[in-house]
Amino acid sequence: MNRHHVDLSVVIPAYNEERRLAHTLTRVASYLRACPLSWEVVVVDDGSADATGDVAAAAARKEPRVRTLRLPVNRGKGRAVREGVLVTTGRQVLVCDADLATPIEELAGLREALADGADAAIGSRAAPGARIEARQVWFRELLGALANVLIRLLVVPGIADTQCGFKLFDGDKARRAFRRCGVDGWGADVEILRVFAEHGWRVREVPVRWAHQPDSKVRPHQYLVTLGEVLRVGLRYQGGGFARTAGVSAVFLALSVVLYVHLWADPWTRYLTDGGQDQNQWEWFFAVTAHNLVNLDNPLFTTLQNHPSGVNLMANTVMLGVSIPLAPLTLALGPSITWAVVLTAGLALTGTAWYVLFARHLVGSWQAAAIGAGFCAFAPPVISHANAHPNLVVLFVIPLIVRRFLLLCRREHVVRDGIVLGLLVSYQVYLGEEALLLAATGLTVFAVAYALLSPESARAAYRPLTAGLALAATTVLALTGAALLFQFSGPQSYASLIHGPAGNDVRALVEHAARSLAGDADVAAGLSMNTTEQNAFFGWPLLVLTVGVVVWLRRRAVVLALAAVIAVSACFSLGPEIVFYGRHTGIPGPWYFLSRLPLFESVVESRFTMVCVPAVGALLAIAADHALAAAASLPRGPVRVLLCLVLAEALLPIAPTPIAAADRPQVPAFFTDGVWRQYVRPGRSVVTAPPPDTVDATPLHWQVAAGLDFPLVEGYFAGPYGPERQGTYGAPPRTTSTLLREARDTGEVPQVTEEHRRAAREDLAFWRADAVVLAPHQRQAVLRATLTALLGPSRQVAGVWLWDVRNIVQPDPARALS
């Protein structure tokens, strides 16, 4: 216990603060002189390279109660604060930033909190009543918010703002706590709060005034450094549980990297070949979102594709939930990096989220939780979509939603859990609505089955669950209502997406996918639409194991409810007519009726096996947990060996192999060198031959390489078609684009008539085109001959054949737009 010499010690860490430290010390000293208490100020010069130490020394000469402590080299804010606190003598210790972003006058509110019994009072910019007088730039706020979510999840739950540089501590407790600390950087704020929590000392957040100050010492890379420090704190103070979670997450990340090893070989030039044209499309989505943010354009709409009609981005699953937060990455390193990061991290985060859910709410063994979570992240249907569909790979919010449902059923914090559920559902809307609809269907089936099996539990959970869902629905409506209205009623919206029957053949449930270790690419291709829609392919050993687990543990209601989810979802996935080993049986499947409901008509029905994945993963976790528990009363070796053999028999055949990737063709210099600017006026479009579509969307990649500075006609997107506004992929075809695609697909020059030439002039007028471009193509001769017949001679410019159509006589605009 320190002998107290003063009532209050103020610790101010300072690094290269010569320009504002004098003003700060003057304000602090002036305020404290007016307070009826004894005080001292300790300025810690953290190895500054400027005159900070001289400024502090000058202040100390004028005011004896100001002391200085100089560190020989810069060690970080955390080290400076720790050294300063340990030399204080005050009954209370205030840690205050040198920029006074929080004014010293806010001390009164913190002192009141300590007088009311708190052991630490921390200034908060997030507590009700806080006032932000000058905000940070948007990307700093975004990074700070993401970091805070991780901090609350991993280290100090319940504290909304750990990083505000204005904290008041009980002096003795502060000195005792800081002696335990070892983080030298910005993560020290988290560590000291964790130490207080470890001792059971009360921490209270107090709303304060705060204003961002220019010349902040927090550089962008510091967010990554601080994240590492937070992980260190979690490992040090949360012990085995956190270490195991971090370890399992690291394994999932390593597996994801191995899965995408061919892509990461050179993500700027590699392309996932099994994904068709989807990588071009998704990179364009990421790029256009970043472009819209920088230019303050509507993030839900653009005319950069399908010019001039445009594209409803909200109706195209652009994943604003990741494309907006990762916009700085896209702008700095390009959308190809964002694409690789989203896919790789998406699998790892999804597996980690399922692991945390299983470990906390389903099983007692971390090994069992890891087995189930690993299946959820790397099951064959997920790996199929890992070729091209990040919206069906980045699924980490789904287990968080499931957990919030479980918490609501416990009736402990209905209001909080209902609002959090609404926030999670809202975020999932901006990640992928189809995954949310599939998850909601699975949860509904589980809830009904569990209620029938355990009516007492259902009665107890009914009221809190109903109230929580009402709160969640209100929250979702507030946060997504405008965006959903734009999606379904805004420009270029559509009613439902046309895709035709897409159910699974029954045989697909027991075969292996092309990317599975035991897979046969030819067999899988014959049972699926394409390599990105191999939505079943669990293999017969896993199905036998799943049935065995259900029979073995049939007395548990949760097991039977999970079995119901698997059975119902698998039946839905069979489509409107049951197909058995290639034979159409004429028997209608349950999907025949479900597909007539709103929203469901746009779902690819074979994807309902995605709902089976977490249910099977949960059954695997439960079975492994029971087996490991049995091993506690039996010889451990034989039981563990048997468990490993059974799991290996079921899971090794479906283990994924690395996803194929190949080098992309080089982008023509016409786009990369900006040559196009000589031929395309602002606001006018480029017509590629043929325009991008589902068969070949490479022009989208060229447009991104050119900085998205010109619009393209038509494209690869979902939009309306015909008077009923049915959803389809691509723009309603015009005469010229149809003619060019005919030449591409048949390899023959079509007969070009005067009517085709007249239609071409109309199409160019409609598209507001200045240039028609033919880049290197395997059918370049055919396409060039077709365009020459339509538009006349061309010239070769910077690696492309160019038709300058600026001077072509435009027809009557009213006719062109008809």
Side-chain angles (χ1 to χ4, degrees):
M1 182 75 70
N2 275 3
R3 179 182 175 184
H4 298 127
H5 296 292
V6 295
D7 296 321
L8 175 69
S9 297
V10 180
V11 176
I12 302 178
Y15 175 65
N16 291 347
E17 295 285 1
E18 65 176 355
R19 287 191 291 179
R20 54 188 174 189
L21 182 59
H23 174 69
T24 295
L25 293 175
T26 298
R27 283 186 60 184
V28 170
S30 176
Y31 175 81
L32 293 177
R33 290 189 192 105
C35 296
L37 48 80
S38 57
W39 55 272
E40 66 175 349
V41 175
V42 179
V43 180
V44 185
D45 178 7
D46 186 21
S48 297
D50 62 4
T52 296
D54 297 335
V55 173
R61 288 193 293 270
K62 292 180 182 178
E63 171 54 74
R65 287 172 287 189
V66 175
R67 293 194 286 151
T68 63
L69 175 64
R70 182 156 194 172
L71 304 183
V73 295
N74 175 244
R75 299 295 298 273
K77 178 188 174 184
R79 180 62 172 269
V81 170
R82 183 164 70 250
E83 297 288 349
V85 169
L86 293 179
V87 302
T88 60
T89 62
R91 291 184 178 86
Q92 295 178 350
V93 175
L94 174 70
V95 176
C96 172
D97 282 348
D99 59 7
L100 281 186
T102 301
I104 187 64
E105 291 78 13
E106 297 297 299
L107 175 62
L110 273 60
R111 283 176 57 81
E112 288 179 11
L114 258 62
D116 289 341
D119 299 303
I122 63 173
S124 175
R125 297 160 291 186
R131 286 185 291 164
I132 309 298
E133 297 175 343
R135 309 195 75 90
Q136 304 177 80
V137 295
W138 68 270
F139 70 86
R140 286 186 182 274
E141 288 196 352
L142 178 61
L143 290 174
L146 292 174
N148 188 257
V149 170
L150 291 174
I151 289 168
R152 296 180 71 177
L153 285 174
L154 300 177
V155 187
V156 281
I159 296 180
D161 185 3
T162 61
Q163 301 307 110
C164 181
F166 201 74
K167 296 179 173 66
L168 182 67
F169 303 96
D170 174 277
D172 288 332
K173 290 182 173 66
R175 286 180 281 270
R176 180 179 169 187
F178 273 99
R179 287 190 188 97
R180 286 190 60 190
C181 293
V183 173
D184 289 344
W186 297 89
D189 288 291
V190 178
E191 184 178 29
I192 190 63
L193 296 176
R194 182 66 201 183
V195 173
F196 265 65
E198 290 282 309
H199 285 288
W201 297 334
R202 290 160 293 183
V203 177
R204 182 179 301 175
E205 287 190 83
V206 178
V208 295
R209 287 185 294 134
W210 185 87
H212 174 66
Q213 302 299 307
D215 300 323
S216 169
K217 296 299 185 293
V218 183
R219 298 293 177 256
H221 75 277
Q222 283 292 338
Y223 289 96
L224 293 177
V225 175
T226 302
L227 176 59
E229 292 171 344
V230 169
L231 294 175
R232 273 183 55 199
V233 172
L235 287 169
R236 179 178 178 185
Y237 294 99
Q238 289 194 206
F242 181 85
R244 283 194 292 268
T245 301
V248 170
S249 182
V251 170
F252 289 156
L253 180 59
L255 291 174
S256 298
V257 171
V258 170
L259 188 70
Y260 288 109
V261 64
H262 299 310
L263 178 63
W264 280 108
D266 188 350
W268 285 278
T269 64
R270 304 288 280 177
Y271 192 91
L272 298 183
T273 53
D274 285 346
Q277 297 304 307
D278 286 13
Q279 182 171 337
N280 285 320
Q281 182 192 54
W282 277 100
E283 289 179 357
W284 187 88
F285 284 156
F286 293 139
V288 81
T289 300
H291 179 274
N292 284 347
L293 290 176
V294 168
N295 292 280
L296 300 180
D297 292 333
N298 181 1
L300 306 182
F301 188 80
T302 185
T303 57
L304 286 172
Q305 192 177 167
N306 193 34
H307 189 79
S309 300
V311 176
N312 188 320
L313 296 174
M314 188 64 194
N316 271 270
T317 319
V318 295
M319 294 185 73
L320 296 174
V322 294
S323 59
I324 288 179
L326 293 181
L329 178 66
T330 303
L331 293 169
L333 299 178
S336 297
I337 292 295
T338 304
W339 164 256
V341 167
V342 168
L343 289 172
T344 307
L347 287 173
L349 286 173
T350 299
T352 301
W354 283 114
Y355 169 79
V356 172
L357 176 69
F358 292 164
R360 291 184 179 180
H361 296 278
L362 188 66
V363 296
S365 162
W366 73 267
Q367 298 99 323
I371 291 168
F375 178 81
C376 291
F378 299 97
V382 179
I383 297 304
S384 172
H385 291 289
N387 284 293
H389 301 151
N391 57 310
L392 295 173
V393 170
V394 183
L395 301 173
F396 66 91
V397 176
I398 300 301
L400 301 181
I401 290 174
V402 174
R403 179 172 185 263
R404 209 47 60 172
F405 269 98
L406 297 176
L407 292 176
L408 275 173
C409 294
R410 293 183 179 180
R411 300 170 292 172
E412 294 176 358
H413 304 285
V414 174
V415 173
R416 181 198 69 185
D417 292 332
I419 293 175
V420 172
L421 176 61
L423 293 173
L424 291 170
V425 171
S426 299
Y427 185 51
Q428 181 59 46
V429 167
Y430 295 113
L431 287 178
E433 296 166 52
E434 184 174 4
L436 180 61
L437 180 61
L438 294 174
T441 305
L443 277 172
T444 301
V445 174
F446 179 88
V448 171
Y450 195 84
L452 293 174
L453 294 164
S454 181
E456 292 185 4
S457 298
R459 281 193 292 270
Y462 173 74
R463 288 185 181 276
L465 192 58
T466 302
L469 289 175
L471 282 170
T474 303
T475 304
V476 171
L477 183 62
L479 295 178
T480 69
L484 292 175
L485 183 64
F486 189 92
Q487 173 181 342
F488 291 105
S489 302
Q492 291 297 293
S493 59
Y494 52 87
S496 60
L497 198 59
I498 303 172
H499 58 71
N504 286 317
D505 188 313
V506 172
R507 182 183 175 187
L509 298 174
V510 298
E511 292 290 348
H512 295 100
R515 285 285 156 207
S516 291
L517 200 61
D520 184 314
D522 292 334
V523 171
L527 295 170
S528 59
M529 292 191 296
N530 51 60
T531 50
T532 64
E533 295 294 346
Q534 294 179 5
N535 289 308
F537 300 93
F538 295 106
W540 67 264
L542 178 61
L543 292 183
V544 169
L545 175 60
T546 302
V547 172
V549 168
V550 173
V551 173
W552 174 31
L553 302 174
R554 62 187 180 279
R555 296 186 183 278
R556 292 190 60 179
V558 66
V559 169
L560 294 180
L562 290 169
V565 172
I566 296 170
V568 171
S569 300
C571 287
F572 285 157
S573 81
L574 299 179
E577 180 190 2
I578 306 300
V579 178
F580 188 81
Y581 280 63
R583 296 194 305 273
H584 291 265
T585 64
I587 302 172
W591 179 251
Y592 179 83
F593 306 99
L594 188 67
S595 64
R596 283 157 172 71
L597 298 178
L599 301 180
F600 285 94
E601 76 274 7
S602 296
V603 174
V604 178
E605 57 266 30
S606 64
R607 294 179 181 177
F608 261 94
T609 48
M610 298 283 289
V611 182
C612 300
V613 170
V616 172
L619 287 177
L620 291 175
I622 293 171
D625 192 53
H626 273 262
L628 292 171
S633 57
L634 296 170
R636 295 172 64 89
V639 174
R640 289 181 181 272
V641 170
L642 180 61
L643 175 62
C644 289
L645 289 175
V646 170
L647 291 175
E649 178 67 26
L651 299 181
L652 274 182
I654 62 171
T657 58
I659 293 176
D663 288 331
R664 284 175 134 147
Q666 190 171 2
V667 179
F670 181 80
F671 299 107
T672 57
D673 294 350
V675 178
W676 63 269
R677 297 182 188 278
Q678 302 173 29
Y679 303 96
V680 183
R681 293 166 291 181
R684 306 288 289 186
S685 69
V686 172
V687 180
T688 59
D693 59 5
T694 57
V695 176
D696 185 4
T698 306
L700 299 182
H701 179 56
W702 302 338
Q703 185 191 29
V704 169
L708 293 173
D709 286 337
F710 61 82
L712 285 174
V713 306
E714 300 197 359
Y716 182 19
F717 61 94
Y721 180 81
E724 308 245 338
R725 299 186 67 80
Q726 289 294 307
T728 188
Y729 289 106
R734 299 186 70 85
T735 301
T736 304
S737 56
T738 300
L739 196 68
L740 292 173
R741 291 188 180 109
E742 179 186 342
R744 176 195 65 189
D745 296 341
T746 64
E748 298 178 359
V749 179
Q751 184 176 0
V752 177
T753 66
E754 190 57 40
E755 180 62 23
H756 285 128
R757 295 185 186 97
R758 183 196 61 78
R761 290 193 294 272
E762 290 186 354
D763 292 341
L764 293 171
F766 173 80
W767 289 328
R768 301 172 190 172
D770 272 359
V772 177
V773 174
L774 173 60
H777 194 283
Q778 61 181 351
R779 289 187 169 157
Q780 186 176 70
V782 172
L783 289 167
R784 186 185 171 204
T786 304
L787 283 168
T788 300
L790 272 177
L791 305 175
S794 61
R795 54 178 160 163
Q796 197 163 20
V797 179
V800 302
W801 289 99
L802 174 71
W803 285 262
D804 187 344
V805 296
R806 288 175 291 181
N807 296 324
I808 288 184
V809 177
Q810 306 292 336
D812 178 65
R815 185 180 179 189
L817 294 172
S818 62

